[in-house]
Every structure is written in C-alpha cells, then in structure tokens.
Amino acid sequence: MHAIEKLLAKKAGKTSVKTGEIINCEIDMAGINDLYLQTIRSFFEMGGTKVYDPSKVIMFLDHYAPASTITQATNQKQFREFCWDQGIDLLMDIDQGVCHQVLADKGLAYPGEIVVITDSHTTTHGAFGAFGTGVGATDLAIILATGKLWFRVPEIIKINFEGKLHKGVYAKDAILHAIGTLGADYAVYKAVEFGGSMLEQLSISERMALCNMSTEMGAKASYIQPDAITMAFLEERVTRAYEIYHTDADFHYADEVSFDVSALKPQLAAPSSVDNVYDVSQFIGRHIDQAYLGSCTGGRAEDIGIAAHILHGKKVASRTRFVIVPASKGVLLEAMEKGYVKTLIEAGATFVTPGCAACLGTHEGMIASGETCITTTNRNFPGRMGDTKAEIFLGSPAAVAAAALMGEIVDPTLYM
C-alpha cells in the first residue's frame, strides 16, 4: 500500500484499503473558515446540539479579516458565539491569518493526520505527510456531529521533479510548469505525491507552495514523504505524538511523470487559467498595475524576504502598486524581526492584515477593469481578484517583486 492508503486505513479502523473503496474515517482536525456559516446552520438542521469533540475543531476568521461589510461582521459574530457556546478553544480570530499557515505555525499540521477544512487548498498539509482535503459545509457539519467523514480511496499518482533549480527559480515555477504541461484536470479526485531530487533543496515553505497548488490540477490530496527537512520543522512546533507512514516498495502508481527542472526558466500562468503557462520571456515588458504578494500559496516569511532582497534600497515603480499580505501573524512577526517589513515599506509597498485578502476577490487589494495584476496567489480566472475585465498573471515571489520594482513583467533571475 501507499503511505496515504495506510494512513486512511488506520483512521478507518481497517488493516488495508484499496483504490475506489468507500471508507469512514476519524478526523483529527476539522476546520471551518468564515465563508462557511452554512456549516453551523447545517449542523443544527441535522439535529446537532453539541460538537462531537471540540478539541478537534478549529475556526478561522481569515477570509474577511477584518470584516469589511455588516454581513461579514454579523457572520463572524455568529462564528465566535458558536465557539464560545460549544467550548471550541481553537478560535483563530481576525488577527491570526490564513488557515493553512496558522495550522503550520501552531504545530497542528503533522504526519499521519487527517485534516479537513472548508477550503480547497487544504492539500497544503501534504507537505507534512498529512492527508489534507477540502470539503463543503454539509460534509464539515457531519464531522462536527460525528467526528467522522466518508472518503473514496483515491488513485495515487506521482510527480517527480529532478535536478536543481537555478537561482531565481522556485517551487511555484516548477508546479506551474507541471500544471501547464499536464492540465488543470489531470489529477481530479486523485492524490498526488511529489518526489524527486528537487525536493532536497526545498524548504517547508516551498513544499507548502507545491502541495497547495496541487489543488489547481484537481487533486483530492497531496503528499511529500517526511524527511529530515520535515522533522526539523516539526520538532520546533509539534508537541503531540504522530505516526509516519511509508509506501511499500512494490506499490504501483496510477500514473508517474517526471520533470527535469535543471533548465527551467521562471514561469507565469497567463490569463485566465492556471494551466495557461509560459516562460516569463513571453510577457517581458507587459505593464503591471498591481503586484500582489500573499495568500496560502505565496505569503510566507521566506516569500516576503525574497521581495525585501529585490527591493532593498530601491522604490516600487511609480505607476505600480505593491500589496503584501502576510499569510499569518507569525509570518508578519518574523518578517518584522528580520527587517523585511521596514525595507518594503520604505520601498513603497503596502502591508495589509494577515489573511486571504484580495485572493478571494472581496477586499484589500481589489483590481479594476482593464488593470493587470501579477500575484503569488493560486487562481487567475476572471473576477478572482476584482473586476472580470482585469487580467491576472500567477508567478513566484521573485517574479512579483521584480515586476513591482520595474512596473512591468521582467525576468526575475536578473534581480536576484
């Protein structure tokens, strides 16, 4: 069996599982974000009165942080009251940041865990050897009531990235290249394991970006086998016991593909699809109205540090805005301690509250009709970050920061 299958079997109380089998699993952590008040409504509509295990429920007020409308404020009020009434201590209020980064910061993402959140990018937690997946309000309400949820055991595919990335090329470039080659529907309801020698040079931050973007090829979950890099990160944060699973040597993947990244150039996903991917050279000189660095994909301290390096002692281009959204309070504090925030503010960047911000197209950095934005986020379909007539390019933190500096798309490797 694959490590993922062993994990699912353990949580289902079985000795083994096979592809396509329907199983009912115990959930280690169930998360609800502030887009999904319907989760609480559904819980009560199902006859729920008391959450099955409050210690395994976490609430994130991250998408509307802070509330910008009366409706958002009212919804958040109801979320808080639900937590207080149910004895849910893990209330991550508007100061905490994006759910996936908060879990990592607080040591709540770890190997062998099943984490289910009302957010499609819960695949991020495969970076820790966990089974992370997103669900809708009704499924999450079932977890609140029972502590369990059913899954169909997914097919498992493996994507290998071999070779060493050049300076100025990042995990975001590698995964965009893979999505552009394989297509946005390549991994629908499949689990994706990432492997290959490239991973040896990737930090946890970069691995999180890789696993996060697996959603954009349709993945149900992602997985990176825990190694020394994983363990070093976990040892500083995780206090509970956990189990690491390993894939049997004779396991057969549903598909396996490999990419040589040793000659990979910086990549951009052009409007208006994540799999519309080209080398950055195709768009050199394209004017940028807004550069945006943030989200659960590209808003970590490492990403902000890349931007600070590129813009140190310089200024954001006069006709370009640079919006930076730290992924969490922890990220913001680290960026402050390392001097990144001061450097970037002096350069003309605008920092906003840790959270999802403009990534979901509702506040804090929206773009207007006819504007072009380059961003470290994960989706670029029309209307994702504002007006449907705006255009969005997806790229690495370096590509975004270099564009902010020059006011146009450039090759970021020239600015490292």
Side-chain angles (χ1 to χ4, degrees), residues 9 17 35 59 90-91 116 133 140 144 147 179 181 206 216 220-221 224 236 264 270 319 349 352 358 370:
V17 297
L35 289 180
M59 197 76 68
L90 294 174
L91 169 60
V116 181
T133 194
L140 209 293
L144 293 183
I179 294 170
T181 302
E206 288 283 85
E216 306 311 322
K220 179 68 175 176
I224 294 176
E236 295 180 356
L264 184 68
R319 297 191 180 187
V352 302

Side-chain angles (χ1 to χ4, degrees), residues 207-266:
R207 293 176 180 202
M208 289 176 72
L210 205 65
C211 290
N212 177 283
M213 288 295 293
S214 69
T215 298
E216 306 311 322
M217 58 174 66
K220 179 68 175 176
S222 70
Y223 187 78
I224 294 176
Q225 184 62 42
D227 60 9
I229 294 171
T230 319
M231 302 312 295
F233 182 88
L234 297 175
E235 285 171 4
E236 295 180 356
R237 295 165 180 82
V238 179
T239 58
R240 69 187 66 200
Y242 54 80
E243 185 171 0
I244 296 175
Y245 297 92
H246 297 271
T247 300
D248 294 335
D250 60 352
F251 178 79
H252 293 287
Y253 293 91
D255 192 21
E256 186 168 1
V257 294
S258 295
F259 295 94
D260 182 358
V261 302
S262 57
L264 184 68
K265 300 288 197 293

Side-chain angles (χ1 to χ4, degrees), residues 78-276:
Q78 292 180 66
F79 278 119
R80 293 184 185 103
E81 291 172 346
F82 181 78
C83 288
W84 299 333
D85 291 344
Q86 293 287 330
I88 297 170
D89 293 331
L90 294 174
L91 169 60
M92 302 297 126
D93 218 311
I94 61 171
D95 64 320
Q96 291 296 313
V98 184
C99 55
H100 308 305
Q101 188 63 39
V102 172
L103 282 180
D105 289 351
K106 295 185 178 296
L108 297 173
Y110 51 86
E113 173 191 36
I114 295 183
V115 54
V116 181
I117 306 176
T118 54
D119 188 278
S120 59
H121 291 98
T122 309
T123 56
T124 303
H125 303 289
F128 308 101
F131 183 88
T133 194
V135 299
T138 304
D139 283 334
L140 209 293
I142 290 171
I143 300 173
L144 293 183
T146 68
K148 296 182 178 182
L149 187 65
W150 71 271
F151 298 102
R152 176 166 59 85
V153 179
E155 292 180 274
I156 301 172
I157 57 182
K158 189 172 186 180
I159 299 176
N160 298 303
F161 293 107
E162 303 292 354
K164 185 176 182 179
L165 294 168
H166 283 296
K167 188 174 183 179
V169 183
Y170 295 90
K172 183 69 170 290
D173 298 299
I175 190 63
L176 283 177
H177 179 64
I179 294 170
T181 302
L182 300 171
D185 60 352
Y186 169 72
V188 172
Y189 209 98
K190 296 179 176 67
V192 177
E193 179 185 355
F194 294 108
S197 58
M198 182 191 79
L199 269 66
E200 298 171 6
Q201 72 178 102
L202 295 188
S203 64
I204 285 294
S205 176
E206 288 283 85
R207 293 176 180 202
M208 289 176 72
L210 205 65
C211 290
N212 177 283
M213 288 295 293
S214 69
T215 298
E216 306 311 322
M217 58 174 66
K220 179 68 175 176
S222 70
Y223 187 78
I224 294 176
Q225 184 62 42
D227 60 9
I229 294 171
T230 319
M231 302 312 295
F233 182 88
L234 297 175
E235 285 171 4
E236 295 180 356
R237 295 165 180 82
V238 179
T239 58
R240 69 187 66 200
Y242 54 80
E243 185 171 0
I244 296 175
Y245 297 92
H246 297 271
T247 300
D248 294 335
D250 60 352
F251 178 79
H252 293 287
Y253 293 91
D255 192 21
E256 186 168 1
V257 294
S258 295
F259 295 94
D260 182 358
V261 302
S262 57
L264 184 68
K265 300 288 197 293
Q267 304 286 290
L268 292 179
S272 295
S273 175
V274 183
D275 58 2
N276 187 29

